[in-house]
């Protein structure tokens, strides 16, 4: 029940707002602003006729690109229009959406909102120019100090997958860097071409971001509403290195200003951000160092990170593997980000092999089932198996673990003490797979607990099991392994594999074909290679009309497509395959942003895997997710004449970023859900389930063995 004093304060706040608006000459007649817009650069922002909220950013050179969600999207309403938001204070909480006062004259828009119950009022101005400047100023209109503990602004960028054609033509990837006063957002067209819309903070700070409206029926095809947060202290005070509070005395205010502009490419945008620091790298091996060129003072926010001053900035070192938050300070200006120090690839592979052998083999089961390698809750060591939840089965993505054991053995990466038990585990897994995951026709099912009707129900699993049998043959020289691999490949083709972009299809086909050729099985070799070419022809013919693959459009559709075309070019030498691959490489790289954060730089956006694979079953951006290494794999497989220092460095950065997913003891996380909160649930944390993340290590090892990509 509200007090009389609360009502009196609200009336006083409203009166103060109306006086301020009258003094500014603002009008409250909304009707005259129907269809209003503000020009900036070679585009404009269209404003809602009732509230003045931006409802579309339009670029003259790319008029069909929808940078913002619109009302055709069922889960987007006026409550999430650009510039709406919420505030939490010691006086209470409030949202804003419809201004009490609104005016627009001579390229200047003014709005005033009453934040009843929070002790504040909000003034918003938007001004035209080469860039659109938006300024948000929260004023304490009460008679007592007010402390802000939560403050977020809606920025509903059109980051969703309504199907490949529509996504590539109309939608954008939103690359977010919530780095304090060094913060920005880059909305990049999904085809990687045309004008980018960039947002750069010039006053105040963005210290975190959240995702709302994520729990939708179309689970994996939407990212949700993006909320840029001045602070998320109220829900997640430790996120992003720690969230601030803002105390305003009566009459005092806090301002946040950003500029929106059009940019031809990523480099032009980054130059405009005027970065206060540059990093030699964002990741390094333990024992190595990271240099930062900056005039700011650098402070470690986590124990274990050593900061030493140098002539041009600072040098960072760490004795223990892990991610480390740091702050860059210049007077009242504070920026923050994180860096990663990790073990070598060899050490990490050994850590994982040891952990898998000790904690993830299902020894407790009977017979052949005891050879399964399964997901494990790293908090308790308990195996997580659920036949009703495919992503917790004893097949599918868990195939990563036996592949890791066998591939590491074959490459000579495992310590001597691990070699015999690792080979025994790989042998036992072969027995398990043949008895429980593969039928006589070569069809595969996702788990041993599923009915026989599920054999052949998922093509994704086929290349992974083929990879295992190929690796197992290299260790045992048992021709039965090759027979199994060929049988699975043939069955996959029968059920539509050539029209499906399976992850690792091109790579597993090429690896098996090489071994078959070496053993004189030329007919089977040619059959495999022909299928790659037939599949490449099919997908070239589709153009941008890519079919649905569990998700309508995503990075792990695009990366296998580029790999497929690269492999077809290797087989045939025909230019159309390489040209097609390079065109689609733009689509793939658009998923990856340039944020100066070790979890984000180059890492592709994925926002559903925490729900399907994690024990918390939580939607939200996963950074880094191990399938981001598919982008690194494509870059490593480019023909030498199409590679550059930049593509090699990006591939290396992606491989290194995923080292954040492993614990010092070899434990792992399948998903680090990155936003500060998702639909009001605190995130910015690792899911405790070790599940399927080892594909990262498998791909890295494959690139070293087959492509000569440098190792750490």
């Amino acid at each position: 029940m509200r007090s009389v004093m609360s009502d009196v304060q609200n009336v006083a706040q409203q009166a103060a707002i109306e006086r301020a608006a009258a003094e500014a000459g603002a009008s409250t007649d909304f009707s005259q602003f129907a269809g209003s817009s503000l020009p900036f650069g070679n585009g404009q922002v269209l404003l809602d006729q009732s509230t003045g909220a931006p409802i579309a950013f339009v670029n003259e050179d790319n008029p069909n690109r929808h940078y913002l969600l619109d009302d055709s999207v069922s889960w987007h309403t006026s409550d999430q229009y650009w510039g709406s938001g919420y505030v939490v204070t010691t006086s209470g909480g409030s949202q804003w959406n419809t201004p009490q006062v609104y005016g627009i004259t001579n390229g200047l828009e003014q709005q005033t909102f009453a934040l009843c119950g929070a002790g504040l009022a909000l003034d918003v101005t938007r001004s035209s120019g080469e860039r659109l400047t938006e300024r948000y100023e929260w004023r304490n209109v009460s008679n007592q100090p007010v402390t802000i503990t939560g403050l977020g602004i809606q920025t509903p960028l059109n980051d969703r997958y309504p199907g490949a054609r529509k996504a590539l033509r109309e939608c954008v990837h939103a690359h977010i860097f919530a780095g304090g006063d060094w913060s920005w957002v880059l909305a990049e067209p999904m085809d990687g071409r045309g004008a980018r819309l960039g947002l750069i903070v010039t006053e105040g700070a963005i210290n975190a971001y959240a995702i709302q409206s994520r729990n939708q029926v179309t689970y994996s095809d939407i990212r949700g509403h993006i909320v840029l947060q001045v602070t998320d202290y109220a829900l997640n005070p430790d996120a992003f290195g720690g969230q601030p509070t803002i105390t305003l005395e009566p009459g005092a205010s806090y301002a946040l200003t950003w500029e929106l502009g059009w940019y031809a490419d990523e480099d032009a945008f980054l130059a405009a951000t005027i970065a206060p620091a540059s990093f030699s790298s964002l990741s390094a091996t333990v024992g190595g160092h990271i240099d930062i060129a900056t005039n700011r003072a650098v402070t470690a926010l986590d124990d274990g990170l050593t900061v030493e001053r140098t002539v041009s900035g600072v040098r960072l070192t760490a004795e223990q593997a892990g991610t480390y938050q740091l702050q860059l300070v210049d007077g009242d200006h504070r920026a923050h980000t994180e860096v990663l120090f990790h073990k070598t690839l060899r050490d990490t592979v050994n850590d994982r092999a040891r952990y898998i052998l000790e904690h993830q083999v299902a020894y407790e089961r009977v017979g052949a089932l005891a050879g399964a390698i399964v997901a494990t809750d790293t908090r308790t060591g308990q195996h997580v198996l659920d036949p009703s939840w495919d992503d917790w089965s004893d097949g599918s993505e868990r195939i990563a673990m036996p592949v890791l054991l066998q591939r590491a053995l074959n490459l000579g990466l495992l310590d001597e003490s691990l070699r015999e038990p690792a080979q025994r585990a790989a042998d036992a897994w072969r027995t398990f797979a043949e008895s429980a995951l593969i039928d006589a026709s070569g069809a595969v099912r996702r788990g041993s607990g599923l009915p026989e009707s599920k054999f052949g129900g998922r093509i994704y699993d086929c290349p992974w099991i083929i990879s295992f049998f190929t690796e197992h043959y290299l260790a045992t020289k048992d021709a039965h392994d090759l027979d199994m691999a060929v049988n699975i490949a043939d069955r996959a083709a029968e059920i539509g594999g050539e029209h499906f972009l399976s992850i690792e299809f091109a790579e597993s086909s090429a690896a098996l074909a090489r071994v078959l050729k070496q053993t004189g099985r030329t007919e089977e070799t040619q059959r495999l290679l022909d299928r790659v070419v037939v599949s490449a022809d099919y997908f070239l013919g589709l153009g941008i009309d890519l079919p649905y693959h569990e998700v309508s459009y995503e990075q792990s559709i695009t990366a296998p497509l580029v790999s497929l075309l690269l492999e077809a070019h290797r087989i045939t030498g025909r230019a159309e395959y390489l040209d097609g691959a390079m065109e689609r490489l733009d689509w793939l790289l658009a998923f990856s942003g340039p944020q100066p954060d070790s979890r984000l730089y180059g890492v592709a956006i994925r926002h559903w895997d925490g729900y399907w694979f994690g024990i918390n079953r939580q939607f939200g951006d996963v950074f880094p997710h191990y399938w981001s290494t598919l982008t690194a794999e494509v870059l490593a497989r480019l023909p030498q004449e199409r590679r550059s220092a930049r593509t090699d460095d990006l591939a290396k950065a992606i491989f290194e970023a995923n080292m954040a997913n492993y614990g010092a003891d070899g434990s792992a996380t399948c998903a680090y859900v990155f936003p500060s909160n998702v639909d009001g649930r605190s995130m910015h944390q690792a899911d405790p389930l070790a599940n399927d993340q080892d594909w990262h290590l498998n791909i890295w090892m494959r690139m070293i063995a087959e492509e000569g990509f440098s190792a750490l």
Side-chain angles (χ1 to χ4, degrees):
M1 181 175 179
R2 294 186 304 171
S3 67
V4 173
M5 182 59 70
S6 173
D7 288 334
V8 170
Q9 289 177 349
N10 289 340
V11 170
Q13 291 172 28
Q14 182 62 35
I17 291 168
E18 291 173 353
R19 284 196 303 272
E23 292 170 359
S27 170
T28 57
D29 182 6
F30 295 159
S31 62
Q32 64 179 294
F33 306 125
S36 294
S37 65
L38 295 173
F40 67 103
N42 66 331
Q44 59 182 314
V45 55
L46 305 183
L47 305 175
D48 179 70
Q49 62 181 351
S50 298
T51 66
I55 55 175
F57 293 106
V58 182
N59 182 266
E60 292 176 1
D61 297 331
N62 197 3
N64 295 321
R65 184 69 58 184
H66 295 191
Y67 295 88
L68 295 186
L69 298 169
D70 57 43
D71 291 343
S72 69
V73 178
S74 62
W75 45 273
H76 177 64
T77 68
S78 61
D79 294 311
Q80 293 88 26
Y81 278 179
W82 182 281
S84 301
Y86 76 93
V87 64
V88 180
T89 75
T90 47
S91 297
S94 184
Q95 295 80 40
W96 68 88
N97 176 269
T98 301
Q100 276 63 46
V101 179
Y102 169 38
I104 181 169
T105 54
N106 300 322
L108 177 67
E109 179 186 24
Q110 296 175 300
Q111 297 171 302
T112 299
F113 300 84
L115 305 181
C116 299
L120 303 174
L122 168 62
D123 297 323
V124 179
T125 61
R126 295 184 178 92
S127 54
S128 296
E130 181 60 26
R131 296 193 178 108
L132 177 71
T133 300
E134 290 192 319
R135 189 172 191 271
Y136 299 80
E137 184 177 5
W138 293 267
R139 295 180 287 110
N140 183 350
V141 294
S142 74
N143 58 6
Q144 58 190 0
V146 171
T147 297
I148 299 172
T149 60
L151 181 56
I153 301 174
Q154 293 277 356
T155 54
L157 293 162
N158 188 26
D159 194 336
R160 63 191 180 97
Y161 309 135
R165 170 176 285 271
K166 194 174 181 70
L168 287 164
R169 287 187 169 179
E170 297 183 10
C171 300
V172 297
H173 299 296
H175 303 304
I176 306 165
F177 179 52
D181 79 308
W182 180 20
S183 292
W184 47 259
V185 181
L186 178 62
E188 183 165 8
M190 287 196 178
D191 64 359
R193 297 167 194 159
R196 280 78 167 158
L197 177 66
L199 178 158
I200 302 171
V201 171
T202 59
E203 180 186 16
I206 296 297
N207 291 296
Y209 78 94
I211 299 293
Q212 293 179 352
S213 312
R214 189 57 191 89
N215 295 311
Q216 301 298 322
V217 175
T218 51
Y219 290 125
S220 301
D221 290 329
I222 67 166
R223 191 173 180 186
H225 286 106
I226 295 167
V227 182
L228 301 183
Q229 297 172 301
V230 174
T231 180
D232 195 27
Y233 185 91
L235 281 180
N236 199 353
D238 297 325
F240 290 78
Q243 295 293 293
T245 59
I246 301 166
T247 298
L248 300 178
E249 297 297 326
S253 64
Y254 176 86
L256 173 68
T257 304
W258 58 49
E259 293 180 343
L260 290 146
W262 306 107
Y263 299 89
D265 53 37
E266 188 177 278
D267 289 342
F269 172 73
L270 291 176
T273 65
I274 314 178
S278 63
F279 292 74
S280 61
S281 64
L282 293 160
S283 303
T285 52
V286 173
H289 62 267
I290 296 172
D291 290 328
I292 309 177
T294 183
N295 293 322
R296 293 192 176 190
V298 179
T299 304
L301 299 179
D302 293 317
D303 293 338
L305 183 67
T306 300
V307 181
E308 297 177 317
R309 196 75 203 177
T310 64
V311 173
S312 60
V314 301
R315 172 163 289 183
L316 307 179
T317 56
E319 295 182 359
Q320 299 294 326
T323 54
Y324 295 91
Q325 297 278 346
L326 53 91
Q327 189 174 69
L328 299 89
V329 180
D330 180 13
D332 293 333
H333 297 286
R334 284 173 168 76
H336 55 81
T337 188
E338 61 188 324
V339 295
L340 168 67
F341 285 87
H342 57 84
K343 296 184 180 182
T344 65
L345 176 61
R346 178 185 291 270
D347 287 345
T348 303
V349 167
N350 276 274
D351 289 343
R352 278 299 295 146
R354 188 174 296 107
Y355 190 92
I356 289 168
L357 293 171
E358 293 178 358
H359 299 286
Q360 298 197 249
V361 178
Y363 297 117
E364 72 278 7
R365 300 169 94 186
V366 175
L369 293 178
I373 306 179
V374 299
T376 298
D377 186 338
T378 58
R379 299 168 300 183
T380 63
Q382 183 178 1
H383 290 163
V384 177
L385 275 163
D386 186 345
S388 68
W389 193 260
D390 288 335
D391 294 309
W392 292 357
S393 72
D394 52 12
S396 282
E397 281 80 358
R398 270 61 57 200
I399 300 166
M401 289 180 279
V403 171
L404 181 145
L405 294 176
Q406 193 65 74
R407 186 168 289 166
L409 275 165
N410 293 346
L411 294 177
L413 294 178
L414 291 190
D415 295 343
E416 185 175 355
S417 63
L418 293 174
R419 293 171 193 166
E420 183 179 345
Q423 190 60 64
R424 285 201 309 269
D427 295 343
W429 194 86
R430 183 180 78 159
T431 300
F432 158 71
E434 291 192 32
S435 66
L437 299 182
I438 309 163
D439 70 9
S441 74
V444 175
R445 63 179 172 181
R446 301 194 66 178
S448 63
L450 297 176
E452 292 188 2
S453 61
K454 295 296 184 179
F455 280 111
R458 192 180 195 237
I459 301 174
Y460 274 121
D461 298 12
C462 300
W464 306 337
I465 294 191
I466 289 169
S467 289
F468 171 79
F469 279 107
T470 304
E471 293 287 349
H472 198 264
Y473 170 80
L474 294 175
T476 65
K477 298 300 186 289
D478 184 349
H480 173 73
D481 289 325
L482 295 184
D483 295 340
M484 289 297 298
V486 170
N487 195 30
I488 294 166
D490 289 345
R491 183 64 178 136
E494 290 174 1
I495 60 178
E498 293 168 11
H499 296 171
F500 190 87
L501 291 168
S502 294
I503 296 168
E504 294 283 285
F505 166 69
E507 292 83 356
S508 65
S509 296
L512 178 56
R514 281 193 298 272
V515 176
L516 290 170
K517 185 176 181 180
Q518 291 166 4
T519 58
R521 299 171 68 160
T522 56
E523 181 181 344
E524 292 164 321
T525 301
Q526 194 59 49
R527 189 161 75 238
L528 284 174
L529 299 180
D530 287 346
R531 286 184 188 137
V532 171
V533 175
V534 168
S535 184
D537 288 338
Y538 172 75
F539 283 104
L540 268 184
L542 291 180
I544 65 174
D545 292 312
L546 302 178
Y548 177 89
H549 287 69
E550 294 189 350
V551 179
S552 295
Y553 179 68
E554 58 168 321
Q555 176 252 359
S556 53
I557 289 174
T558 311
L561 172 60
V562 181
S563 276
L564 173 68
L565 296 174
L566 290 175
E567 192 59 38
H569 176 256
R570 290 185 178 189
I571 294 168
T572 67
R574 285 160 49 186
E576 63 262 34
Y577 296 124
L578 182 56
D579 292 343
M582 299 310 294
E583 177 186 1
R584 289 152 181 78
L585 182 61
D586 289 341
W587 308 353
L588 178 61
L589 293 180
F591 285 93
S592 301
Q595 300 98 311
D597 183 302
S598 61
R599 289 186 175 275
L600 303 180
Y601 180 74
V603 174
I605 296 170
R606 295 180 66 91
H607 43 75
W608 57 92
D609 298 282
Y611 177 79
W612 297 108
F613 293 95
I615 205 165
N616 290 326
R617 296 190 180 183
Q618 176 62 50
F619 283 117
D621 303 352
V622 175
F623 288 119
H625 187 271
Y626 66 88
W627 282 140
S628 64
T629 55
L630 294 173
T631 300
E633 182 175 43
V634 165
L635 295 172
R637 299 185 74 237
L638 290 174
Q640 194 60 46
E641 67 272 16
R642 299 301 181 102
R643 286 171 60 173
S644 65
R646 188 168 187 172
T647 61
D648 284 353
D649 288 346
L650 181 58
K652 183 173 181 288
I654 297 168
F655 280 130
E656 289 181 330
N658 278 271
M659 288 297 209
N661 289 332
Y662 308 107
D665 61 349
S667 60
T669 175
C670 64
Y672 190 97
V673 183
F674 190 80
S676 183
N677 75 74
V678 179
D679 287 335
R681 292 182 61 190
S682 296
M683 289 293 118
H684 205 68
Q685 63 186 7
D687 192 279
L689 198 63
N691 189 340
D692 53 334
Q693 64 292 313
D694 298 299
W695 288 115
H696 157 242
L697 299 175
N698 289 336
I699 292 170
W700 200 349
M701 287 189 290
R702 185 201 285 278
M703 291 303 97
I704 293 167
E706 298 179 5
E707 308 295 339
F709 193 81
S710 60
L712 294 179

